[in-house]
């Protein structure tokens, strides 16, 4: 089956999944513990209901004239054992469901993280980071209490409530119907309370997402806000989002308060209708006293399990919505790559054939009205704008190629397509004569090292960040690659040298220092294809020269692609490709392009003039 067919099959099966389907999908090897937790929850609720039967039995014995106190003490002891059984079985059930739930939540996050690694970079960039973080961390975490209790307790209470009601009909169907007389009032109240419930909850989620995204945007942009004196207007947006986020819940609760009060008061009060009707039948001699009293006692417990289960209604709606959000991520289209290589490249040459690619026209995704399968915050806009228009180029193995051109011309997009961060819309990219879509992601990642201008460092030591390029590298190898990359001296000047923690996203280092460590990390990978996308953008001229010299030594024999705005850093490339408006304007060596008197010559003259100034 092809990758597309597998993806389509996954989407189809995901849309058919209900809440329990998602739970057992993510529960993995712990799903058996959910079944055991339901079993022990049934025992717990049964032990909770059993004392009512014992009380009814004691009352009947009293009415029959039994005066043997030993019998009553024995039955009271059995009632106490049932109470202890309720506590014990509930503890066992809850422990098992919590173990299974924590495993489930871990599986959700692992599968989502694994999924994101297989999704095109553009898809991830289109998602507001606040919404993505909110789903993976906060939303998933908020399901812990719900999932730990909903599976055993909801299931067991519903089942036992049904059993008790059936037993009432077995004892006397007339009195059982009398008990049910008040239920329509409670059910109608519940219907009013649940009216528009899913839509209201999704609206509340929308507002919460807007609040979360606004907060993240406000925090990330605080430097710009302060610098340009926009704190008042920016803070007002956050305040508005916070008020709207609270108001939707307040209005929802206000509309539900009276139906909720009626439902919770009337529904469990089965004796309201049983007492007058049953009393009349008793006076008429149609039922005996012991049966009447037994039904009164059992009526007190018959609906209680159902009401306990009903309290999980909002939690179930919440879990469905969250699983819908998780499902929307799990159903994202993946890069078209096989799990096993269909062929292996003959060498490390790169060929682009009529490559076309489109971005989404709108980069900001606004929350929209949602469905269970398409949650808020992930509006997939179909409007696309073609960025690359039929790119053709051949980069021989071991060559040094550079992409230059105006900002927004498509240079970095070509590099990212070669790095397999996106898939082309049409055309093909081949490595050693093999379409990259025929190579597994693991195989391709081993062949390509990609360094961008926005380099991310993990909150680890400098040594561990460099070692990410090759996990098996020794300390000596890490230090040696740092020397070759020209960053050994500045690393040793740090407080703890190679053991210095760089902070989140490398916040403790300057932009240039982060880039130099990222280059060392890429060099540690020792991939045969190296892509440097504005990799020296934040580096001062002195260090840039050091890095350029180091890179030149480290990429010998490798296929090197460099994207640069500073033309002087790439003028020695074997071939320069001038990209303009998503097309190749011209190509050739530095001298050949200058002789054409075209765009490249204008850019070079502007570059030299700016350097002179």
């Amino acid at each position: 089956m092809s990758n597309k067919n597998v993806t389509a099959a996954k989407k189809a099966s995901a849309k058919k999944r209900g809440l329990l389907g998602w739970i057992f999908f993510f529960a993995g090897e712990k799903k058996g513990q959910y079944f055991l937790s339901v079993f022990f929850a049934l025992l717990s609720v049964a032990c909770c209901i059993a004392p009512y039967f014992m009380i009814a039995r004691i009352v009947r014995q009293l009415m029959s004239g039994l005066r043997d106190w030993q019998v009553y003490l024995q039955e009271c002891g059995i009632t106490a054992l049932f109470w202890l059984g309720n506590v014990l079985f509930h503890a066992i059930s809850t422990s098992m469901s919590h173990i299974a739930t924590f495993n489930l939540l871990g599986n959700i996050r692992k599968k989502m993280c694994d999924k994101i690694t297989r999704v095109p970079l553009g898809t991830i960039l289109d998602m507001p980071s606040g919404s993505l973080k909110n789903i993976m961390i906060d939303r998933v975490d908020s399901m812990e209490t719900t999932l730990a209790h909903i599976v055993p307790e909801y299931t067991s209470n519903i089942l036992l409530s049904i059993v008790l009601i059936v037993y009432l009909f077995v004892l006397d169907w007339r009195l059982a119907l009398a008990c049910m007389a008040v239920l329509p009032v409670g059910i109608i109240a519940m219907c009013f309370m649940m009216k528009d419930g899913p839509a209201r909850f999704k609206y509340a989620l929308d507002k919460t997402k807007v609040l979360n995204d606004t907060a993240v945007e406000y925090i990330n942009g605080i430097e710009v806000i302060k610098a340009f004196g926009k704190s008042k207007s920016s803070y007002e947006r956050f305040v508005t989002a916070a008020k709207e986020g609270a108001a939707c819940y307040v209005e929802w609760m206000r509309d539900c308060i009276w139906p909720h009060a009626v439902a919770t008061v009337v529904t469990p009060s089965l004796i309201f209708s049983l007492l007058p009707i049953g009393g009349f039948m008793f006076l008429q001699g149609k039922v005996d006293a012991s049966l009447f009293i037994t039904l009164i006692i059992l009526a007190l417990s018959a609906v209680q399990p159902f009401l306990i289960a009903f309290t999980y209604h909002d939690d179930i709606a919440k879990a469905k919505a969250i699983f819908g959000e998780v499902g929307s991520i799990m159903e994202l289209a993946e890069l078209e790559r096989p799990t096993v290589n269909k062929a292996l490249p003959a060498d490390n040459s790169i060929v682009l054939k009529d490559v076309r690619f489109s971005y989404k026209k709108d980069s900001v995704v606004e929350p929209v009205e949602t469905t269970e399968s398409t949650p808020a915050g992930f509006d997939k806009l179909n409007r696309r704008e073609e960025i690359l228009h039929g790119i053709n180029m051949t980069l021989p193995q071991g060559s040094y190629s550079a992409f230059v051109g105006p900002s927004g011309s498509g240079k970095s997009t070509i590099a990212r397509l070669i790095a397999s961060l996106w898939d082309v819309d049409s055309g093909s990219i081949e490595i050693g004569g093999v379409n990259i879509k025929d190579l597994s992601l693991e195989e391709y990642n081993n062949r390509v090292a990609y360094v961008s201008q926005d380099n991310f460092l993990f909150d680890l030591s400098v040594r561990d960040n460099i070692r990410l390029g090759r996990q098996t590298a020794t300390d000596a190898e890490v230090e040696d690659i740092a020397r070759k990359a020209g960053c050994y001296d500045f690393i040793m000047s740090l407080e703890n040298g190679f053991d210095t923690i760089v902070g989140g996203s490398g916040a403790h280092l300057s932009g240039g220092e982060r880039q130099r460590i990222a280059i060392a990390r890429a060099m540690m990978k020792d991939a045969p294809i190296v892509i440097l996308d504005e990799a020296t953008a934040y580096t001062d001229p002195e260090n840039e020269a050091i890095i350029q010299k180091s890179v030149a030594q480290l990429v010998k024999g490798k296929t090197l692609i460099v994207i640069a705005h500073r033309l002087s850093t790439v003028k020695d490339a074997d071939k320069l490709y001038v990209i303009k408006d998503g097309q190749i304007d011209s190509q050739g060596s530095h001298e050949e392009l200058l002789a054409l008197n075209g765009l490249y010559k204008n850019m070079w003259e502007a570059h030299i003039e700016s350097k002179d100034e």
Side-chain angles (χ1 to χ4, degrees):
M1 182 181 291
S2 69
N3 199 310
K4 288 184 178 180
N5 291 335
V6 171
T7 302
K10 286 181 179 179
K11 286 187 176 182
S13 63
K15 290 180 180 178
K16 294 178 183 177
R17 285 195 187 103
L19 178 58
L20 286 177
W22 279 117
I23 290 174
F24 291 126
F25 172 73
F26 286 113
E29 61 184 17
K30 299 293 184 180
K31 66 178 64 175
Q33 290 201 320
Y34 272 128
F35 288 110
L36 285 175
S37 71
V38 171
F39 173 73
F40 283 107
L42 283 169
L43 293 180
S44 173
V45 178
C47 288
C48 183
I49 299 299
Y52 287 95
F53 287 89
M54 297 302 299
I55 293 171
R57 176 184 173 87
I58 291 172
V59 170
R60 288 198 303 271
Q61 290 171 339
L62 286 171
M63 294 183 66
S64 66
L66 181 64
R67 295 294 183 268
D68 188 347
W69 291 103
Q70 294 295 325
V71 172
Y72 294 122
L73 286 174
Q74 182 180 1
E75 292 181 345
C76 287
I78 294 173
T79 302
L81 288 176
F82 278 127
W83 181 83
L84 289 173
N86 171 44
V87 175
L88 176 63
F89 291 134
H90 177 75
I92 295 174
S93 172
T94 301
S95 297
M96 287 187 165
S97 64
H98 274 84
I99 292 172
T101 296
F102 284 123
N103 181 79
L104 180 146
L105 298 182
N107 284 342
I108 291 176
R109 291 190 174 113
K110 289 176 184 176
K111 289 182 181 294
M112 289 174 72
C113 289
D114 184 56
K115 176 71 178 185
I116 288 174
T117 63
R118 304 191 303 271
V119 172
L121 177 63
T123 304
I124 302 301
L125 294 178
D126 281 337
M127 297 179 183
S129 59
S131 293
L132 192 58
K133 172 262 179 189
N134 198 31
I135 292 173
M136 296 184 69
I137 306 300
D138 302 331
R139 294 289 186 201
V140 171
D141 192 59
S142 69
M143 290 196 294
E144 181 268 321
T145 302
T146 300
L147 296 179
H149 294 278
I150 192 175
V151 174
E153 295 180 19
Y154 181 83
T155 306
S156 59
N157 278 287
I158 286 290
L159 288 176
L160 281 174
S161 186
I162 293 173
V163 169
L164 281 172
I165 291 174
V166 170
Y167 184 64
L168 290 178
F169 277 91
V170 171
L171 290 176
D172 191 297
W173 66 270
R174 298 165 301 173
L175 292 180
L177 286 176
C179 290
M180 302 298 111
V182 298
L183 285 184
V185 178
I187 292 173
I188 291 172
M190 289 180 186
C191 290
F192 274 105
M193 184 171 63
M194 293 185 293
K195 182 183 178 183
D196 300 326
R200 284 178 177 268
F201 187 73
K202 293 183 188 304
Y203 178 73
L205 283 181
D206 289 353
K207 292 300 181 182
T208 303
K209 288 178 187 298
V210 172
L211 173 59
N212 196 69
D213 292 341
T214 305
V216 171
E217 180 185 34
Y218 182 77
I219 294 170
N220 289 342
I222 192 67
E223 182 178 353
V224 177
I225 291 170
K226 288 182 175 295
F228 291 92
K230 297 295 183 181
S231 56
K232 182 178 180 181
S233 60
S234 299
Y235 188 68
E236 284 176 353
R237 286 184 57 208
F238 175 74
V239 171
T240 300
K243 288 181 177 178
E244 291 179 352
C248 61
Y249 286 103
V250 172
E251 292 172 5
W252 188 7
M253 295 301 106
R254 185 184 295 120
D255 292 341
C256 291
I257 189 169
W258 284 109
H260 181 266
V262 172
T264 53
V265 170
V266 174
T267 305
S269 305
L270 301 185
I271 59 173
F272 282 177
S273 54
L274 175 63
L275 287 177
I277 297 174
F280 177 76
M281 293 176 66
F282 171 73
L283 293 175
Q284 295 294 317
K286 295 181 180 180
V287 294
D288 60 54
S290 62
L291 178 62
F292 184 34
I293 291 174
T294 298
L295 263 79
I296 291 175
I297 294 173
L298 293 181
L300 294 173
S301 64
V303 181
Q304 195 62 34
F306 172 75
L307 288 179
I308 293 174
F310 180 74
T311 59
Y312 290 109
H313 175 266
D314 288 343
D315 292 322
I316 292 173
K318 175 182 176 181
K320 284 182 177 179
I322 294 173
F323 272 120
E325 294 177 320
V326 171
S328 72
I329 294 176
M330 297 301 297
E331 294 163 18
L332 292 173
E334 300 179 6
L335 291 167
E336 297 178 26
R337 301 291 185 273
T339 54
V340 179
N341 300 317
K342 295 181 179 180
L344 287 176
D347 54 33
N348 295 300
S349 61
I350 303 170
V351 178
L352 281 70
K353 297 180 179 178
D354 194 28
V355 168
R356 296 179 181 273
F357 180 73
S358 304
Y359 282 123
K360 287 184 178 178
K361 192 171 183 179
D362 298 86
S363 59
V364 178
V365 183
E366 296 293 341
V368 294
E369 185 178 355
T370 61
T371 65
E372 184 173 324
S373 61
T374 308
F378 293 95
D379 179 27
K380 301 298 184 295
L381 301 175
N382 292 320
R383 293 171 292 173
R384 301 181 69 87
E385 182 178 3
E386 189 171 271
I387 301 299
L388 301 180
H389 318 292
I391 298 294
N392 293 281
M393 60 174 64
T394 299
L395 314 178
Q397 174 173 288
S399 64
Y400 171 15
S401 305
F403 302 159
V404 299
S407 296
S409 60
K411 306 183 299 297
S412 292
T413 301
I414 297 173
R416 289 174 176 177
L417 288 171
I418 295 174
S420 195
L421 300 182
W422 283 296
D423 268 335
V424 300
D425 293 343
S426 63
S428 66
I429 299 176
E430 296 180 358
I431 302 294
V434 178
N435 192 318
I436 65 173
K437 292 184 178 181
D438 293 333
L439 297 173
S440 67
L441 283 175
E442 181 180 4
E443 171 68 26
Y444 198 77
N445 288 336
N446 288 334
R447 288 180 174 269
V448 178
Y450 175 76
V451 182
S452 71
Q453 59 180 315
D454 299 316
N455 292 295
F456 183 88
L457 298 183
F458 290 92
D459 191 14
L460 303 170
S461 67
V462 174
R463 189 187 309 277
D464 288 336
N465 270 285
I466 296 176
R467 187 179 278 130
L468 287 173
R470 178 160 52 89
Q471 297 283 0
T472 58
T474 64
D475 289 350
E477 289 174 322
V478 170
E479 294 173 12
D480 182 59
I481 208 72
R483 288 188 181 93
K484 293 178 179 178
C487 56
Y488 180 86
D489 291 339
F490 102 75
I491 292 174
M492 293 305 296
S493 68
L494 298 175
E495 182 179 4
N496 297 310
F498 279 86
D499 296 318
T500 302
I501 302 300
V502 302
S505 302
H508 297 168
L509 304 177
S510 68
E513 290 170 340
R514 288 197 297 270
Q515 283 187 323
R516 292 162 71 181
I517 291 176
I519 290 172
R521 179 172 60 191
M523 297 306 105
M524 176 63 76
K525 187 176 181 180
D526 195 28
I529 298 173
V530 179
I531 302 173
L532 303 178
D533 185 0
E534 292 288 350
T536 59
Y538 300 131
T539 309
D540 57 80
E542 181 181 354
N543 285 317
E544 182 180 16
I546 296 174
I547 293 175
Q548 291 292 343
K549 184 178 180 180
S550 302
V551 169
Q553 293 296 321
L554 292 167
V555 298
K556 281 185 176 180
K558 302 180 186 297
T559 304
L560 175 63
I561 300 171
V562 177
I563 296 90
H565 280 294
R566 284 180 274 192
L567 301 184
S568 57
T569 63
V570 293
K571 68 183 182 66
D572 295 327
D574 298 332
K575 181 178 284 189
L576 294 99
Y577 290 87
V578 183
I579 312 299
K580 179 183 178 183
D581 298 330
Q583 295 178 314
I584 298 177
D585 177 80
S586 54
Q587 56 184 290
S589 66
H590 174 68
E591 291 75 15
E592 290 171 343
L593 291 175
L594 288 178
L596 291 176
N597 292 320
L599 174 60
Y600 182 80
K601 183 177 182 180
N602 295 334
M603 293 171 58
W604 177 257
E605 290 175 349
H607 172 65
I608 295 301
E609 183 179 348
S610 64
K611 285 186 68 176
D612 291 342
E613 291 177 355

